[in-house]
Amino acid sequence: QVQLVESGGDLVQPGGSLRLSCVASVRSIAIYDMAWYRQAPGKQRELVARIDRGSRIYYADVVKGRFTISRDNAKNTVYLQMNALQPEDTAIYYCNARFMDNNSWGQGTQVTVSS
């Protein structure tokens, strides 16, 4: 299992921005497909964005044009830049690393969008 530590969650006003980071305790994340998920109260966990080992990227429709996922394999870190945040983006955001049968999760970081 890969240990993942997320950071960067905060309380932000609508229209604001945040950057989440996820640091992996592993020799290299280069072989891993990395993703950000989120879970709002009373809702199921949903995929927000994914960047695979070849840096192919997928975004959920609800975040396209506002969120940007990126990875720095040299730093074993994945980022999620979130712009134009809205109250419906309020959730716990989880980092995920996947390689073959290895599927690891971080503990999550809280993002709250409210005025």
Side-chain angles (χ1 to χ4, degrees), residues 44-115:
Q44 289 189 332
R45 190 173 296 190
E46 63 178 358
L47 176 63
V48 175
R50 180 177 62 238
I51 182 166
D52 71 12
R53 74 196 76 172
S55 293
R56 289 177 290 266
I57 291 174
Y58 164 86
Y59 293 106
D61 286 343
V62 293
V63 306
K64 278 182 182 176
R66 299 189 298 124
F67 291 10
T68 302
I69 189 171
S70 61
R71 63 191 296 160
D72 185 339
N73 291 341
K75 294 183 179 180
N76 278 351
T77 302
V78 178
Y79 304 97
L80 185 68
Q81 177 67 43
M82 305 186 294
N83 299 327
L85 283 161
Q86 300 301 318
E88 51 267 32
D89 295 315
T90 295
I92 300 174
Y93 284 70
Y94 296 92
C95 183
N96 173 261
R98 184 171 299 183
F99 175 69
M100 298 182 71
D101 292 336
N102 190 321
N103 187 27
S104 300
W105 295 90
Q107 83 289 347
T109 186
Q110 176 71 49
V111 172
T112 303
V113 185
S114 176
S115 55

